[in-house]
Structure formats: C-alpha cells, structure tokens
Amino acid sequence: MSKKLITLILIILLIAGLAFNYFSPYSEKLTKSTNLSNESIGGVKIHESINKSSFITQYGNPLSKEDNDLYDYYYWKGGLLTASIHSGKDKGSIMRLIITSTDNQILDKPLHTAKGIELRA
C-alpha cells in the first residue's frame, strides 16, 4: 500500500472517531451546573426532616408507610411520596421526593417546585 492510501485511511478513521464521539448519545456532554439548594417540591426540601413541625403542619400524618432496606417510604396527602432515613442520627431526613398523584386525579393545588414547575395529568 502506498503512503498516500495509508494516510487517507488514517484521516478517515480519525474523522469518523471524532464524529462518533460528538454525535454519540453516550459521549460526555459538559454543561454548567444548576444550583438546586433552594429547590423544593410542595414546600419540602431534600434533607428536611419529616418530624419538623412545619412539615407536620402542612402534611399531617402519613397515609401509609412502606419499609425498605435503605429508606422508609411515606405517602402523604396531596400526592407526595417521601423516602427518609429510618435509623441513626439522621432518622426522618428526607432523601427522595416523588409526586404520585398526577394520573386520574385532579388536585385543587397540585404540587410544584419552588420555581413553579408542576406535573399535570
């Protein structure tokens, strides 16, 4: 093979590799960070305690509870589901927030984020 042919093949492979990396859904895309420290859903923030008086005033007692190895899952009025730490010094600390009542239920005041983002059925 001639040097020109080898050079051409190498250039084509290089271009194909760069194109695959750029257009691949698996390639890493860098974005600016978004500060979510002030974000909440229905007035509830991550790491807030379900034992906090303002949380109890807003959501009352849980409708039901599911035990899990890592977290206790609580269903609250208004379609809020929380996962909280079930033991230790951080017991009751909310680690996950999930909105559950968007299908086939119409809420007077649907849960939304602090920035006004809400789910609609």
Side-chain angles (χ1 to χ4, degrees):
M1 293 172 82
S2 72
K3 288 184 178 182
K4 288 183 181 181
L5 183 58
I6 292 173
T7 305
L8 182 62
I9 291 172
L10 288 175
I11 291 173
I12 291 172
L13 289 175
L14 179 64
I15 291 171
L18 291 173
F20 177 77
N21 185 44
Y22 182 77
F23 293 109
S24 172
Y26 303 108
S27 65
E28 183 177 324
K29 306 291 187 218
L30 300 176
T31 60
K32 292 183 179 180
S33 295
T34 300
N35 183 356
L36 298 176
S37 61
N38 293 323
E39 195 57 73
S40 65
I41 295 177
V44 180
K45 293 182 177 185
I46 296 291
H47 302 295
E48 181 178 17
S49 176
I50 62 171
N51 301 315
K52 189 176 172 183
S53 62
S54 61
F55 183 87
I56 294 170
T57 301
Q58 185 172 0
Y59 289 97
N61 293 321
L63 303 174
S64 65
K65 174 185 173 186
E66 291 179 18
D67 294 327
N68 186 292
D69 290 339
L70 297 176
Y71 305 114
D72 290 332
Y73 286 82
Y74 294 93
Y75 292 86
W76 305 91
K77 69 179 181 180
L80 180 67
L81 170 62
T82 62
S84 61
I85 297 173
H86 59 75
S87 63
K89 67 176 182 136
D90 293 326
K91 182 177 181 175
S93 180
I94 297 171
M95 302 307 291
R96 294 180 182 153
L97 294 169
I98 304 160
I99 299 173
T100 61
S101 66
T102 56
D103 297 336
N104 301 324
Q105 290 184 343
I106 297 176
L107 302 173
D108 292 334
K109 296 179 182 178
L111 293 175
H112 57 83
T113 68
K115 293 179 182 174
I117 300 168
E118 63 183 45
L119 297 176
R120 296 191 183 232

